[in-house]
């Protein structure tokens, strides 16, 4: 089963649509090939520092062998993806979906960054990740119960939940999770400075 | 056999098994939670149980979740899991005609029958295949691993090349930690936690759990989508005769589903679509497909559960998962100290028989649990999406932490959540990545051990009979399509000229 593209399935596969030929759109962005290439280069750099494996005077595949192969492939993949992106921009094909701008638009770098930053979805994702990181950072000191309730409350309120159900759900959820893991499976969740039961 | 039956019916196995099936209903029927995610969330819990109880939980949850995904697919035209996409077609049309309960009852019976067909094939095919696999050397396992990865990339919807990129990233992640042969640390950057490699469980929870949550949160419209509650009428008596009249469709779809599921990388969703397409082509009334036809419900729903059973064949026999669910299963088995592969049929025969028995019994239990699930559906869908998001987040955090009581693992989970979200935004499929992470050590170890044995000569990898067949299969898988397209283009040009 493929978990990816579930949304695409939901979007595209209506009752009148042929099940064997989903409409093909391909997403391209400039940052993807660049990141891919950088990942490949970084892999090659670190792999080159790994020791070589010599047996009976003969150099054989050692620790650096496999990562080097992968690094080379990722560099090539980055170049191929960059070529595809440029081709997509040049042709302005309707099948090519740029992540930031429409094929007909010519946005500058600053404008592209601004558009990404102002996007509601991107802001929500950023807020969730920052909250999650803060949750994990304070988890050892404040304990699971307190941080768990606070985190789920903040998230629920941000996601348009009403205050009272949000408080109730947060408390019930944390207590149930703590019960399952601490009491049933003997997993010691962080208790923190307050030394709460969990 | 009686002893084994008594053993699996012991409350210490039966109770968590049943609870996991209920969780499977919840996860499958809730859009945004997938069968893979359900498995990912169950593995950390099952770690604290005996292997058979843990596997019963995983088997129970996954088969139930695949069926339960059809529930919102039938009522709302929103597949609960990707494997239920094909069930949106005729099932939803029947709902529009006021026959949603009937469609789901039909679906439930066919899911159980499809699962039985798949498990039956698994029981009869796996042991002889394992005998064959015992003769495999490093070269065969190397090609088998690569073949599994390439298949997962090719059948991933969208772009094959990006599937290969995902598999490569997974392979790269698998190299973190101590080197598989020399023990030298690689890419650990001085972090002791990384010496044992990137934790499979937190990485998987991040890729399938957190990334899905990020996707949901970034879509304002999805958050506002209303859930519905509807009274559901169920009649097993009315559905059985219809299934009997379409027994050939059930058998054929179950068989096709198992074969497709057994192909590494293909899964229940592809099995369902192909079965639907074939059923339509062979039907006496193809024009009724898409308008609420019984066959249109029976074919994909028989196939998706059979596909799941089929995916266990390569996972058990070769240790090469057939899809993302069995990828997690293989990871979980390794975590329990079991090594999936041909030797498991000799070394842990009783456990394998236990798995077979549990898989068969799950199909019977599915009828009862499924009926409960359909009834409870209205209430489950009443849960607002924001609540589902927070529940998944909390379980993701605690599930990542629980395995080693390590906060570091939570950071790994978050990192992989971001990676998964970013990659999916760029149309890069995630199953090849997780397959790469799991198969990485096997592929690298067999490549290097084989090369050390041959003093660096790659030729024996190509000259052994099974190796050469696998290498050719890999070549055809990756380049067969483009070569065919090129030939067709040349032929059409030639035809125009002449």
């Amino acid at each position: 089963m493929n978990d990816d593209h579930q949304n695409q399935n939901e979007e595209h596969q209506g009752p009148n649509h042929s099940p064997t030929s989903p409409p093909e759109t391909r997403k391209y962005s400039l940052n993807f090939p660049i990141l891919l290439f950088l990942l490949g280069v970084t892999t090659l750099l670190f792999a080159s520092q790994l020791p070589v494996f010599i047996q009976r005077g003969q150099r054989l595949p050692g620790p650096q062998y496999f990562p080097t192969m992968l690094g080379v492939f990722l560099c090539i993949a980055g170049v191929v993806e960059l070529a595809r992106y440029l081709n997509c921009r040049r042709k302005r094909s309707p099948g090519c979906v740029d992540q930031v701008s429409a094929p007909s638009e010519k946005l500058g770098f600053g404008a592209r960054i601004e558009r990404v930053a102002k996007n509601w979805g991107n802001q929500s994702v950023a807020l969730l990740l920052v909250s999650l990181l803060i949750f994990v950072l304070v988890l050892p000191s404040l304990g699971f119960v307190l941080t768990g309730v606070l985190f789920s409350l903040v998230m629920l309120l941000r996601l348009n939940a009403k205050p009272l159900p949000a408080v109730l759900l947060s408390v019930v959820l944390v207590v149930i999770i703590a019960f399952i893991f601490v009491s049933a499976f003997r997993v010691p969740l962080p208790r923190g400075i307050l030394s709460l039961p969990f | 056999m009686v002893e084994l039956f008594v053993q699996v019916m012991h409350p210490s196995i039966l109770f968590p098994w049943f609870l996991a099936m209920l969780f499977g209903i919840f996860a499958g029927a809730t859009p945004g939670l997938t069968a893979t995610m359900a498995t990912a969330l169950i593995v950390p819990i099952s770690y604290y149980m005996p292997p058979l109880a843990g596997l019963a939980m995983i088997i129970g949850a996954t088969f139930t979740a695949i069926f339960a995904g059809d529930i919102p697919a039938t009522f709302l035209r929103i597949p609960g899991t990707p494997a239920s996409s094909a069930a949106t077609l005729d099932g939803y049309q029947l709902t529009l005609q006021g026959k949603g309960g009937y469609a789901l009852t039909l679906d439930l019976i066919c899911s159980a029958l499809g699962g039985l067909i798949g498990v039956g094939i698994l029981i009869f095919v796996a042991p002889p295949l394992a005998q064959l696999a015992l003769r495999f050397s490093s070269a065969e396992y190397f090609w088998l691993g690569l073949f599994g990865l390439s298949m997962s990339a090719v059948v991933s919807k969208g772009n094959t090349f990006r599937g290969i990129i995902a598999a490569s990233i997974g392979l790269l992640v698998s190299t973190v930690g101590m080197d598989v042969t020399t023990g030298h640390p690689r890419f650990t950057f001085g972090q002791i936690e990384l010496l044992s490699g990137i934790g499979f469980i937190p990485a998987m929870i991040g890729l399938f759990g957190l990334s899905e949550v990020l996707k949901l949160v970034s879509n304002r419209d999805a958050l506002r989508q209303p859930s519905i509650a509807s009274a559901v009428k169920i009649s097993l008596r009315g559905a059985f005769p219809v299934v009997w009249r379409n027994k050939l469709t059930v058998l054929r779809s179950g068989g096709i589903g198992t074969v497709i599921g057994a192909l590494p990388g293909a899964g229940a969703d592809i099995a369902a679509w192909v079965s639907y397409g074939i059923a339509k082509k062979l039907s006496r009334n193809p024009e009724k497909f898409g308008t609420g036809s019984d066959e249109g419900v029976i074919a994909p729903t028989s196939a998706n559960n059979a596909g799941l059973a089929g995916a266990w064949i390569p996972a058990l026999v070769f240790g090469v998962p057939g899809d993302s669910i069995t990828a997690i299963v293989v990871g979980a088995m390794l975590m329990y100290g079991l090594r999936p592969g041909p030797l498991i049929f000799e070394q842990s025969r009783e456990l394998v028989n236990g798995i077979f028995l549990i898989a068969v019994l799950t199909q019977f239990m599915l009828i009862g649990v499924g009926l409960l699930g359909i009834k409870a559906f209205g209430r489950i869908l009443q849960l607002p999406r924001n609540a589902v998001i927070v529940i998944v987040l909390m379980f993701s955090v605690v599930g990542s932490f629980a395995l080693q009581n390590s906060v570091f693992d939570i950071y790994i989970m978050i990192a992989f959540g971001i990676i998964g979200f970013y990659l999916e935004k760029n149309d890069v499929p995630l199953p090849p990545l997780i397959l790469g992470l799991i198969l990485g050590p096997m592929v690298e170890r067999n490549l290097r051990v084989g090369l050390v044995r041959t003093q660096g000569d790659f030729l024996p990898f190509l000259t052994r009979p099974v190796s050469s067949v696998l290498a050719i299969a890999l070549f055809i898988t990756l380049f067969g399509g483009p070569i065919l397209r090129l030939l067709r283009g040349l032929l059409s040009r030639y035809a125009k000229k002449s």
Side-chain angles (χ1 to χ4, degrees):
Chain A
M1 187 188 77
N2 291 317
D3 274 357
D4 48 317
H5 305 280
Q6 186 182 350
N7 281 356
Q8 286 176 6
N9 287 337
E10 289 170 15
E11 284 161 17
H12 296 314
Q13 288 156 359
N16 299 324
H17 196 272
S18 162
T20 47
S21 57
E24 197 166 322
T25 54
R26 289 184 177 172
K27 295 176 188 168
Y28 292 98
S29 65
L30 182 58
N31 53 45
F32 180 59
I34 292 173
L35 281 178
L36 211 55
F37 187 78
L38 285 177
L39 179 67
V41 171
T42 314
T43 304
L44 286 175
L45 273 176
F46 282 105
S48 66
Q49 292 165 14
L50 293 168
V52 290
F53 184 51
I54 297 171
Q55 203 178 47
R56 290 176 206 148
Q58 192 178 3
R59 188 173 166 167
L60 292 170
Q64 87 291 28
Y65 184 74
F66 201 56
T68 305
M69 282 169 62
L70 293 170
V72 169
F73 174 76
L74 288 172
C75 285
I76 296 169
V79 172
V80 171
E81 282 292 332
L82 183 66
R84 283 177 157 190
Y85 169 79
L86 293 174
N87 195 33
C88 169
R89 294 289 296 174
R90 189 172 52 84
K91 281 185 179 173
R92 296 178 183 179
S93 155
C96 289
V97 182
D98 190 299
Q99 295 285 308
V100 181
S101 61
S104 55
E105 287 179 302
K106 278 198 172 177
L107 288 179
F109 182 72
R112 290 172 77 88
I113 295 282
E114 195 183 334
R115 183 174 285 189
V116 170
K118 280 188 176 172
N119 182 285
W120 185 91
N122 292 342
Q123 285 176 355
S124 295
V125 169
L127 186 92
L128 188 149
L129 288 173
V130 170
S131 315
L132 194 56
L133 278 174
I134 294 171
F135 171 39
V136 183
L137 276 171
V138 297
L139 180 65
S141 48
L142 287 185
F144 174 70
V145 170
L146 208 56
T147 42
V149 169
L150 279 174
F151 172 70
S152 53
L153 192 61
V154 167
M155 284 318 301
L156 282 167
L157 291 176
R158 161 73 190 177
L159 299 173
N160 301 332
K162 287 175 185 166
L164 186 63
V167 172
L168 282 175
L169 180 68
S170 301
V171 173
V172 170
L173 181 64
V174 167
V175 169
I176 288 176
I177 289 177
F179 175 76
I180 293 174
F181 281 88
V182 178
S183 304
F185 300 116
R186 309 270 173 233
V187 176
L189 295 176
R191 297 173 69 171
I193 46 169
L194 298 179
S195 288
L196 289 168
F198 312 116
Chain B
M1 199 64 188
V2 179
E3 268 178 38
L4 192 65
F5 184 79
V6 173
Q7 193 188 338
V8 299
M9 281 293 150
H10 191 272
S12 65
I13 292 179
L14 192 62
F15 187 61
W17 181 8
F18 181 71
L19 281 183
M21 289 184 79
L22 289 181
F23 179 67
I25 286 282
F26 168 77
T30 310
L33 296 184
T34 63
T36 311
M37 197 197 287
T39 321
L41 294 176
I42 271 186
V43 169
I45 299 172
S46 72
Y47 181 67
Y48 299 94
M49 297 178 171
L52 204 55
L55 287 167
M57 284 182 82
I58 293 171
I59 292 168
T62 47
F63 275 103
T64 319
I66 294 284
F67 156 71
D70 297 346
I71 301 177
T74 303
F75 279 109
L76 302 170
R77 207 162 65 90
I78 300 171
T81 71
S84 300
S85 306
T88 54
L89 302 174
D90 290 82
Y92 182 64
Q93 287 301 314
L94 283 169
T95 299
L96 293 180
Q97 295 162 22
K99 298 179 191 168
Y102 161 74
L104 270 176
T105 318
L106 209 59
D107 182 331
L108 177 62
I109 297 167
C110 294
S111 293
L113 287 174
L116 267 182
I117 293 167
V119 174
I121 296 174
L122 167 73
I123 292 170
F124 288 105
V125 166
L129 259 184
Q131 285 298 317
L132 178 75
L134 275 174
R135 293 181 210 156
F136 283 12
S137 70
S138 300
E140 281 82 16
Y141 274 108
F142 165 71
W143 286 117
L144 202 61
L146 273 195
F147 182 60
L149 284 173
S150 67
M151 281 299 288
S152 77
V154 168
V155 299
S156 294
K157 286 180 215 83
N159 191 323
T160 303
F161 186 63
R162 289 189 183 167
I164 298 170
I165 291 172
S168 309
I169 295 172
L171 288 173
L172 183 63
V173 172
S174 80
T175 62
V176 174
M178 288 212 277
D179 176 32
V180 283
T181 51
T182 62
H184 192 278
R186 293 189 295 190
F187 308 113
T188 54
F189 309 106
Q191 293 284 334
I192 298 167
E193 290 95 338
L194 285 177
L195 275 178
S196 53
I198 296 278
F200 156 72
I201 300 291
M204 180 193 62
I205 293 176
L207 282 176
F208 292 112
L210 183 59
S211 75
E212 195 69 41
V213 165
L214 293 176
K215 211 159 65 183
L216 281 174
V217 166
S218 66
N219 187 347
R220 202 182 224 167
D221 297 332
L223 285 171
R224 287 176 180 169
Q225 267 177 15
S227 301
I228 64 146
S230 56
V232 182
K233 287 179 185 170
I234 303 166
S235 165
L236 279 174
R237 206 180 286 173
F240 271 119
V242 180
V243 176
W244 180 249
R245 271 202 303 276
N246 291 285
K247 51 190 176 293
L248 278 179
T249 308
V250 175
L251 278 171
R252 188 181 55 234
S253 304
I256 293 168
T258 313
V259 172
I260 292 175
L263 295 175
D269 50 348
I270 295 165
W273 282 114
V274 172
S275 296
Y276 186 92
I278 290 175
K280 188 178 176 182
K281 271 187 185 165
L282 297 178
S283 173
R284 284 178 193 166
N285 307 304
E287 73 284 352
K288 285 190 179 171
F289 277 69
T291 62
S293 126
D294 291 338
E295 279 179 281
V297 174
I298 289 168
T301 55
S302 306
N304 56 14
N305 269 33
L308 182 59
W312 275 77
I313 296 174
L316 264 186
V317 175
F318 306 113
V320 177
D323 63 357
S324 50
I325 292 176
T326 43
I328 298 168
V329 171
V330 168
M333 289 176 86
L334 290 170
M335 203 175 69
Y336 301 148
L338 303 165
R339 186 166 284 280
L343 283 175
I344 201 172
F345 288 83
E346 293 182 358
Q347 292 167 348
S348 311
R349 184 70 224 185
E350 202 176 319
L351 184 93
V352 172
N353 286 340
I355 292 173
F356 289 161
L357 186 61
I358 285 166
V360 170
L361 292 175
T362 295
Q363 310 310 321
F364 292 101
M365 285 164 70
L366 179 62
I367 300 279
V369 176
L371 288 174
L372 264 176
I374 298 170
K375 283 269 183 197
F377 170 72
R379 287 182 190 176
I380 288 173
L381 268 203
Q382 275 178 329
L383 265 180
R385 273 181 190 240
N386 46 23
V388 173
I389 286 171
V390 171
I391 291 170
V392 174
L393 273 174
M394 294 300 283
F395 269 99
S396 298
V397 169
V398 181
S400 311
F401 173 84
L403 200 62
Q404 302 186 76
N405 297 337
S406 161
V407 175
F408 186 81
D409 279 350
I410 307 179
Y411 289 115
I412 296 281
M413 184 274 292
I414 296 172
F416 274 84
I418 297 168
I419 291 169
F421 176 68
Y422 175 76
L423 290 178
E424 279 207 306
K425 275 227 159 203
N426 284 284
D427 261 1
V428 179
L430 298 182
L433 199 158
I434 203 79
L435 247 68
L437 178 58
I438 290 169
L439 293 179
M442 168 191 165
V443 171
E444 184 183 7
R445 188 176 51 244
N446 284 300
L447 172 65
R448 280 170 56 191
V449 167
L451 285 174
V452 168
R453 266 192 207 143
T454 58
Q455 298 294 300
D457 185 7
F458 194 74
L459 202 62
F461 277 77
L462 297 167
T463 50
R464 285 175 62 91
V466 180
S467 285
S468 54
V469 170
L470 286 168
I472 291 167
L474 176 71
F475 182 81
I476 292 172
T477 306
L478 288 177
F479 304 110
I483 290 173
L484 263 180
R485 276 197 294 276
L486 189 74
L487 283 176
R488 267 189 211 145
L490 287 174
L491 277 175
S492 63
R493 263 189 220 169
Y494 179 76
K496 274 180 193 169
K497 275 183 187 174
S498 61

